[in-house]
Amino acid sequence: MRRAVLFLALILTLCGCSLARPEQDRPEQDRFVGFHLVYAPLPEGPLPPSEQVEGREDETGHFVFSGLEGQNCFVLRRTGESERYLASCFQVSSGGLNLHYSDEGEAVDFQAEAFCGPAEGEELGPEEDYACTAYRVYQRPDGSVYLNRYGDAFPLASGASQTEQVRTPYLEEGKSLMFEMNAGVTFRAVPRTARCVIRQLDEDGASVREDVLTAREAEALGEEEARFPLEPEAVCVMSVCEYEGGGVLREMHALSGAGEGERLAHLSPRFLDSRGLGYYAGITVEGPQGNGAEIPDIS
């Protein structure tokens, strides 16, 4: 009988479920704030006992959890010079983040999208020996951040999504308020982008300039962005993402005003880092005002 109970608990954990636990197991005012997403090989054998892993804020404003290299996907309560406020901590697409304040408390809604693929030099990806695991993240009243490893996590298959709705009471200036978190995450498997070609087109659809951002160059950017000059005769920008093993993704980007006599376009092509974690690389193409011609039809 004992063996059967242990087996059932393991199955529930791997399926993203958990056995009912008394409320006092988790301090009432520790807020559920979202997820930390880790993409790694599936573990072999039984899972070790659950443990809390403390989060450490790095120089970029993101949080690192020892032994769980991944991507932040949560919203924290911060304290400024004169007030407290909600601040997002995302390394994935937030998909419409909404923060609400009222006399009853605070509320957060978001639906994030994470994507992963094969590690550099490998062919195995999310459908085989790897999995994306979402660890639930909590914030204590003192502002510190932690997650529950294994015992409070769930794996995601490609295309799968998970939504968590949690209400946490808290006190502020002696008043009882409520913090409500409605957090969702969807995981998708994607091919590895080898490079992104940025083409500037004139009113006839001809290329007047071409720049290239390789996967290695994109990863080296870190929190920075790539910048390219805009030719005066360009009326739009087209990005061409070329995938390893074949296939491309083409997108058109309109130019917008950027101050007196300037135009620009922002691009965010998708890449995978050396581990297989997905991210968006920032690209800005900017230059002097052109002739104002219409975007060509190249369909």
Side-chain angles (χ1 to χ4, degrees):
M1 181 63 181
R2 174 178 172 82
R3 183 176 300 174
V5 172
L6 291 174
F7 178 74
L8 175 60
L10 177 60
I11 291 298
L12 289 173
T13 299
L14 292 176
C15 292
C17 304
S18 60
L19 296 173
R21 289 169 289 181
E23 285 294 325
Q24 60 267 28
D25 282 359
R26 183 180 302 133
E28 189 177 49
Q29 289 190 330
D30 286 6
R31 294 181 172 204
F32 165 69
V33 293
F35 310 104
H36 180 65
L37 307 175
V38 176
Y39 177 58
L42 292 168
E44 297 182 2
L47 297 176
S50 181
E51 62 176 338
Q52 286 188 1
V53 180
E54 299 295 321
R56 176 182 58 82
E57 189 172 5
D58 64 18
E59 64 278 1
T60 69
H62 298 119
F63 281 78
V64 177
F65 299 90
S66 179
L68 294 171
E69 190 173 11
Q71 295 173 313
N72 295 171
C73 181
F74 47 82
V75 176
L76 300 177
R77 198 178 203 213
R78 299 286 200 177
T79 301
E81 293 183 359
S82 60
E83 62 181 356
R84 294 182 178 180
Y85 59 95
L86 298 174
S88 62
C89 192
F90 283 95
Q91 294 172 292
V92 296
S93 174
S94 61
L97 172 65
N98 295 303
L99 308 177
H100 309 278
Y101 302 88
S102 70
D103 293 337
E104 286 73 39
E106 304 163 339
V108 176
D109 296 277
F110 71 79
Q111 181 67 46
E113 183 175 70
F115 48 92
C116 304
E120 191 173 48
E122 296 185 8
E123 296 182 359
L124 297 179
E127 302 302 327
E128 290 137 48
D129 289 347
Y130 282 71
C132 182
T133 301
Y135 294 87
R136 294 178 180 88
V137 178
Y138 300 90
Q139 184 177 28
R140 300 185 183 95
D142 65 6
S144 60
V145 175
Y146 69 93
L147 59 78
N148 281 341
R149 186 171 187 172
Y150 298 118
D152 212 6
F154 52 88
L156 286 169
S158 181
S161 62
Q162 177 87 5
T163 299
E164 299 284 315
Q165 295 176 298
V166 179
R167 291 166 58 87
T168 308
Y170 67 99
L171 289 174
E172 187 167 85
E173 298 180 350
K175 183 178 180 180
S176 296
L177 300 173
M178 187 67 68
F179 174 71
E180 182 174 341
M181 170 62 73
N182 184 5
V185 60
T186 300
F187 169 62
R188 303 191 187 283
V190 299
R192 175 173 287 276
T193 300
R195 67 176 195 159
C196 180
V197 181
I198 303 98
R199 291 177 182 154
Q200 301 179 30
L201 307 180
D202 64 14
E203 58 184 342
D204 297 320
S207 176
V208 295
R209 181 185 174 97
E210 184 172 293
D211 296 285
V212 176
L213 183 69
T214 67
R216 193 169 299 278
E217 292 169 341
E219 189 168 359
L221 287 172
E223 298 291 320
E224 303 297 324
E225 68 174 12
R227 305 188 71 90
F228 299 106
L230 180 68
E231 299 299 323
E233 60 269 36
V235 298
C236 67
V237 176
M238 180 171 65
S239 61
V240 183
C241 290
E242 302 174 356
Y243 300 133
E244 291 184 3
V248 298
L249 173 65
R250 295 182 176 88
E251 292 183 301
M252 297 291 291
H253 307 271
L255 298 171
S256 59
E260 185 175 354
E262 293 290 311
R263 300 173 300 156
L264 63 76
H266 289 298
L267 293 69
S268 300
R270 186 181 63 201
F271 287 90
L272 299 177
D273 67 14
S274 57
R275 302 161 297 176
L277 280 171
Y279 66 95
Y280 292 98
I283 298 176
T284 295
V285 182
E286 186 174 9
Q289 186 69 40
N291 56 20
E294 296 294 323
I295 297 176
D297 181 4
I298 61 171
S299 58

